[in-house]
C-alpha cells in the first residue's frame, strides 16, 4: 500500500510544491523557477523600500486632487507601468520637475515629435 499523504517520501506531492521536479529517481531543481522567484523577491524588496521612503516623506506632503482627461490618465498609467512605478510617484516626479525648472518646456521637442508620429500611425 502506497502512502500518498502531503510530504510523504513515497507520494512526493510536497516536492512539486517546493519547486523540485522528479525525473525517475533523481531530483532536479528547477533553476529557472528559483531565478524567477529571486527576481520577484528582489523587486518586492525594492518596492517595499520605495514605499517606506514614501511613507517617511508623506508626513510632509499635502493632497492635490485634479481632474484630467481620461486619455491623459491612461497615458500616465501606461508610462508608470512601463517605468515600474506607481502612477502617483510618476505624477509627483513630473510636477516636481515642472516646478523646479519653470523655464524648461513642459513637453520636449522629442516628445512632441513622438506624439505626432503616434497620431499619424493611429490615424492611418
Amino acid at each position: 500500500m502506497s502512502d500518498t499523504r502531503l510530504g510523504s517520501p513515497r507520494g512526493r506531492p510536497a516536492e512539486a510544491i517546493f519547486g523540485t521536479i522528479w525525473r525517475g529517481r533523481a531530483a532536479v531543481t528547477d533553476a529557472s523557477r528559483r531565478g524567477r522567484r529571486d527576481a520577484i523577491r528582489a523587486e518586492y524588496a525594492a518596492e517595499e523600500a520605495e514605499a517606506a521612503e514614501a511613507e517617511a516623506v508623506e508626513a510632509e506632503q499635502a493632497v492635490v486632487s485634479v481632474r484630467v482627461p481620461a486619455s491623459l490618465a491612461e497615458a500616465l498609467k501606461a508610462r508608470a507601468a512601463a517605468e515600474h512605478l506607481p502612477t502617483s510617484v510618476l505624477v509627483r516626479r513630473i510636477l516636481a520637475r515642472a516646478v523646479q525648472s519653470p523655464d524648461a518646456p513642459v513637453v520636449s521637442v522629442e516628445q512632441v515629435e513622438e506624439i505626432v508620429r503616434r497620431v499619424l500611425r493611429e490615424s492611418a
Side-chain angles (χ1 to χ4, degrees):
M1 177 186 271
S2 176
D3 186 8
T4 57
R5 289 177 287 137
L6 186 63
S8 164
R10 292 186 188 143
R12 294 192 182 107
E15 286 79 10
I17 294 170
F18 297 111
T20 302
I21 299 171
W22 287 87
R23 293 187 182 139
R25 294 183 182 182
V28 179
T29 302
D30 189 352
S32 65
R33 279 189 185 176
R34 192 172 354 143
R36 283 192 308 258
R37 192 171 39 238
D38 291 345
I40 290 168
R41 285 182 180 148
E43 182 180 347
Y44 180 77
E47 289 173 359
E48 286 297 313
E50 185 176 327
E53 183 180 323
E55 286 178 16
V57 174
E58 197 169 307
E60 302 171 12
Q61 294 181 352
V63 175
V64 176
S65 179
V66 60
R67 293 187 187 276
V68 297
S71 59
L72 176 58
E74 289 303 315
L76 287 168
K77 288 178 186 177
R79 181 171 169 186
E83 295 183 24
H84 306 289
L85 294 171
T87 306
S88 59
V89 171
L90 175 66
V91 171
R92 206 170 15 254
R93 287 181 183 175
I94 292 170
L95 290 173
R97 280 189 217 131
V99 171
Q100 291 169 353
S101 304
D103 297 336
V106 175
V107 180
S108 70
V109 173
E110 293 82 14
Q111 290 171 319
V112 171
E113 290 172 348
E114 177 57 33
I115 291 168
V116 170
R117 282 192 293 273
R118 191 176 330 134
V119 168
L120 291 174
R121 249 191 334 263
E122 291 175 1
S123 64

